[in-house]
Every structure is written in C-alpha cells, then in structure tokens.
Amino acid sequence: MKKLDDIKKIKEREVSEKELKENEKDAKIHKLTLFTIPLILLIILSLIYIFIFKLDYLLIPFAIFFFVFLFGYDSNQRTCKNCKKWNSVVWIDNRIILKTTKEDKKNILGKDKKKREKISKAVGKCTNCGKEFTVEKIKKL
C-alpha cells in the first residue's frame, strides 16, 4: 500500500528537448546492449548447439545471455513513451478482459460463429515525467 501512495505523489512535469534527446540516446544504448545483442547471441549459440557441437558447456553462456535478454526485455517494456526514459515506468493497474461477440456468419454445421478476444489493459506511470498512460493489447482466441 505504501508503494501505491508513493506512486500517487509523483507529479507531472515538462521534459526539455535536451533531456528528451539524452533519454532517447541512453535508451537506444541500453536497448542495444541489453536486448538486441543478447538476442542475436542467443540465436547464434542455440544454432551452434543444435546443429554443430551439442556440447553441454555451451549452455552456461546461453543461460547468462538469456538472463540478460530477459532483463533487457522487461526494461524495454517499461520505457516511457513521453520522455523516452529507460526503465522508468511503474505499472499501476493490469486488467484482462475476455470479450465474446456473435458474428452473422454460420459455420459448416449451421451454428453461429463466436468471435473471442482477450484484451489486456495496463496502466503505467512514469517516475521521471509523471505522465500516466495506458497500453492496450488485443489477442484473438
């Protein structure tokens, strides 16, 4: 409960152009070193392991790069869309809604088709600029 109160105390502020450019440059460097390069190395190591050597000691660097990739993926998801600050978004609310609607079409057996969607809504707040935003993803089931 204390963390939620701390999040509510974050105030919105305007981000200068200079700070925006610095944040964007920093985010690109972090994305490259903690997300893209480990992903490429993971793919190369897995292909070497599967097709060429099948040596068990290749699994150690694979695990290390996978851990770095997971950290980079999580931090990349928490980059603010407004101020471009890397790893600065705190997720406040996360909801999943299942939505079923009937379509006018009928399937082969003559039954009405149902369209199912899984909608996930996440509300985040930036610790740097204080802006609150919503991310919505729709997945068809």
Side-chain angles (χ1 to χ4, degrees):
M1 190 66 184
K2 185 176 179 179
K3 285 188 176 184
L4 190 60
D5 293 334
D6 291 341
I7 293 169
K8 288 181 181 178
K9 291 179 185 176
I10 298 172
K11 295 181 181 168
E12 284 191 30
R13 68 177 184 89
E14 290 297 318
V15 180
S16 66
E17 283 292 321
K18 182 180 177 186
E19 185 181 357
L20 183 68
K21 287 181 182 180
E22 287 177 9
N23 289 344
E24 196 168 8
K25 181 180 175 185
D26 189 42
K28 284 181 182 178
I29 291 170
H30 283 301
K31 183 176 181 179
L32 186 69
T33 58
L34 295 175
F35 182 68
T36 309
I37 292 174
L39 178 63
I40 293 169
L41 292 174
L42 279 172
I43 293 169
I44 291 170
L45 279 175
S46 63
L47 291 175
I48 289 172
Y49 179 76
I50 292 171
F51 293 120
I52 299 173
F53 296 121
K54 293 192 179 184
L55 300 172
D56 289 338
Y57 65 84
L58 283 176
L59 294 176
I60 295 169
F62 183 84
I64 293 169
F65 287 128
F66 190 73
F67 179 73
V68 172
F69 169 74
L70 283 179
F71 175 74
Y73 177 77
D74 180 48
S75 298
N76 189 38
Q77 295 295 322
R78 294 192 284 142
T79 301
C80 181
K81 291 177 179 23
N82 183 42
C83 68
K84 310 288 190 226
K85 181 84 172 165
W86 175 265
N87 198 13
S88 67
V89 174
V90 178
W91 297 111
I92 300 169
D93 189 21
N94 193 3
R95 294 182 185 191
I96 297 174
I97 302 166
L98 294 174
K99 189 178 185 183
T100 306
T101 56
K102 288 185 179 179
E103 289 186 13
D104 294 336
K105 299 178 183 178
K106 295 189 179 221
N107 63 6
I108 297 172
L109 301 174
K111 295 181 180 179
D112 290 334
K113 280 188 172 182
K114 291 183 180 179
K115 185 178 173 183
R116 298 179 68 198
E117 293 179 336
K118 180 180 176 182
I119 302 170
S120 61
K121 292 183 180 180
V123 178
K125 189 164 189 177
C126 180
T127 57
N128 186 37
C129 65
K131 301 270 184 180
E132 192 171 304
F133 57 92
T134 304
V135 176
E136 187 172 315
K137 295 179 184 177
I138 300 173
K139 183 179 179 182
K140 294 182 181 180
L141 299 176

